[in-house]
Amino acid sequence: MPALLEVKGLRTQFQTREGLVYAVNGVTYQLDEGETLGIVGESGCGKTVNVLSLLRLIPEPPGKIAGGQALFQGKDLLKMSSDEIRHVRGAQIAMVFQDPMTSLNPVLTIGRQLTEALELHLGMNKEQSRQRSIELLEMVGIPKAGDRLNDYPHQFSGGMRQRVMISMALSCAPQVLIADEPTTALDVTIQAQIVELVKRLRDELGMAIIWITHDLGIIAGLAKRVIVMYAGFIIEEAPVRELYGDPRHPYTLGLLGSLPRLDETQHRRLVSIEGLPPDLLGLPPGCPFAPRCVYAMDRCHKENPPLESVSPGHWKACWVDTRREKTQ
C-alpha cells in the first residue's frame, strides 16, 4: 500500500546578506495513513522549515525549495499551482503552529476565523458553518462554545487558544495534521491535556500526524516512529521503542542522555552535548555533528555518511558503531 505522504530528497535554502543558508539538505521520509510520526531535534535543525516547505509556506524570496519531491496521494505538492496547493492546505493537510497568540488574528472573532475555512473549503453557508464551529469547539473541550464564538483571541487563555487552533485545523477533517511544537508555550499541565486531546482526536478521526518537537518525552507516548534531525539532515530514524531502547547515532545518544528518567533505580548524572550547532551558512565537509561528537574519527571530518539500515525500520547516518565504542 503506497504511503499517504512521501518526501524524497527535499532541499530548502535561504538567500541572506551573509550568503546561502542550507536549511534542509535532502531529507527523505514517508507517512502512512493513520500513523503518528515524530520529528525531533534542537532549534535551528530544519524541523519546521521541512514541513513549511511541504505546504509551500516558505517566503520566496528569500527562501527557495531547491529540489526534491513531496508526493501526497501521488501528486507532487512542490509542483502544484498556487490555487491547487491552497485547496490542499487546511482541507487535506492542516497545521497547528507553535504560538497560538500570533497564529490567530487578534482583530477577528474566534467564530469568524473558524467559519472562514468551512465556507471556503466545504461551501457551507453562514448558519451551517456556525453550527459546525460550535461542534468543533465542543470537540476540543471548550465550555459554552456557542457563547465563545463572538470572543476575540485575547479573551482566551494560552491553553484555550491552542485548543481553538486545533479545532480550526480539524475543521475540514484533514488526512494529515502537522503539529509544530504546539505545547512549547504552555505550562506542563496544559501540555499534557493538549497531547491527550490530540491522541483522542487522532484515534476518533483516523488522521495521520506529524508532531514536531525538541521534547523527546512527549514523543515517547505519542508517536509510532521518530525522525531525528540535525543541521538540516536526517541522522537517525526508527520506531519509537527501538530509538529509545537502542539509539545508534551519537547525537541521539546525547539527546536521550540529557533526559531525566523515572525508570532507573540509581541516580544518574544528566549529560550535555558540548559545543554549538554548525553555522548553516557554511557546513563542514564531513558529518555536521563531527565537531561535537565524542566518537568522531578522521573520516567523520571528511565525508558525510549516508543513511544506512542497522535493523528493519532503523536507519542511522554515522560511520561509527556506537554499540562497539561503548563496550570498549
Side-chain angles (χ1 to χ4, degrees):
M1 187 175 177
L4 179 62
L5 174 68
E6 195 169 359
V7 179
K8 300 178 179 178
L10 178 66
R11 292 185 295 116
T12 305
Q13 300 164 357
F14 292 87
Q15 185 65 58
T16 67
R17 287 180 181 177
E18 289 77 24
L20 198 60
V21 173
Y22 296 89
V24 177
N25 301 303
V27 301
T28 298
Y29 60 92
Q30 66 179 46
L31 178 73
D32 295 328
E33 286 191 24
E35 179 187 24
T36 301
L37 173 68
I39 301 180
V40 300
E42 60 199 51
S43 298
C45 71
K47 307 184 301 290
T48 299
V49 173
N50 158 37
V51 293
L52 290 177
S53 300
L54 305 183
L55 291 174
R56 305 262 295 284
L57 291 172
I58 297 293
E60 296 186 32
K64 179 187 176 186
I65 298 172
Q69 289 181 303
L71 302 175
F72 177 65
Q73 297 181 321
K75 295 181 180 176
D76 191 351
L77 298 171
L78 307 184
K79 288 190 168 60
M80 287 183 177
S81 67
S82 297
D83 282 342
E84 286 174 322
I85 194 68
R86 199 175 294 123
H87 283 96
V88 170
R89 285 190 213 121
Q92 295 167 281
I93 303 176
M95 190 161 178
V96 179
F97 294 93
Q98 185 169 350
D99 184 356
M101 195 60 217
T102 54
S103 303
L104 291 165
N105 191 324
V107 299
L108 293 180
T109 64
I110 293 299
R112 182 63 198 126
Q113 295 185 62
L114 272 165
T115 57
E116 187 176 22
L118 295 167
E119 292 166 14
L120 174 68
H121 291 301
L122 302 183
M124 291 184 178
N125 61 35
K126 287 198 181 328
E127 183 54 32
Q128 288 171 328
S129 62
R130 185 179 182 279
Q131 288 303 318
R132 177 61 177 153
S133 296
I134 293 171
E135 290 172 16
L136 288 163
L137 291 179
E138 288 173 345
M139 186 194 299
V140 296
I142 291 183
K144 299 180 181 177
D147 298 335
R148 305 300 309 261
L149 288 179
N150 293 324
D151 287 349
Y152 289 86
H154 73 270
Q155 294 172 274
F156 288 74
S157 67
M160 286 296 186
R161 284 197 294 264
Q162 198 58 285
R163 287 171 185 265
V164 171
M165 285 298 299
I166 291 169
S167 70
M168 288 173 66
L170 299 179
S171 60
C172 298
Q175 290 155 285
V176 179
L177 175 69
I178 298 172
D180 182 14
E181 304 205 36
T183 60
T184 299
L186 308 175
D187 65 55
V188 177
T189 308
I190 306 299
Q191 275 188 23
Q193 291 175 6
I194 295 296
V195 171
E196 286 304 312
L197 170 65
V198 171
K199 285 165 73 172
R200 177 173 64 79
L201 294 172
R202 173 196 65 190
D203 296 339
E204 287 176 8
L205 305 175
M207 61 187 174
I209 296 174
I210 297 176
W211 190 286
I212 299 166
T213 184
H214 58 263
D215 188 340
L216 282 156
I218 288 177
I219 288 295
L222 182 68
K224 176 184 175 185
R225 209 158 39 89
V226 189
I227 286 171
V228 183
M229 288 189 70
Y230 186 80
F233 295 93
I234 292 175
I235 52 100
E236 188 160 11
E237 178 181 348
V240 167
R241 283 182 176 275
E242 190 164 342
L243 187 93
Y244 285 70
D246 185 23
R248 303 296 291 274
H249 194 283
Y251 179 61
T252 314
L253 284 166
L255 289 178
L256 291 168
S258 65
L259 278 180
R261 295 183 59 146
L262 299 176
D263 59 348
E264 291 184 335
T265 53
Q266 291 184 322
H267 292 296
R268 174 179 60 91
R269 181 181 288 275
L270 299 181
V271 298
S272 61
I273 303 172
E274 298 295 329
L276 295 170
D279 184 352
L280 297 180
L281 279 164
L283 285 169
C287 170
F289 187 62
R292 305 173 71 185
C293 182
V294 295
Y295 302 111
M297 51 189 182
D298 286 345
R299 188 180 188 185
C300 301
H301 294 281
K302 296 172 184 173
E303 296 177 64
N304 193 5
L307 266 179
E308 292 182 337
S309 176
V310 293
S311 64
H314 191 164
W315 291 270
K316 70 162 184 174
C318 184
W319 297 123
V320 179
D321 184 348
T322 51
R323 269 182 171 179
R324 191 175 65 191
E325 290 290 329
K326 282 191 290 186
T327 58
Q328 288 180 355

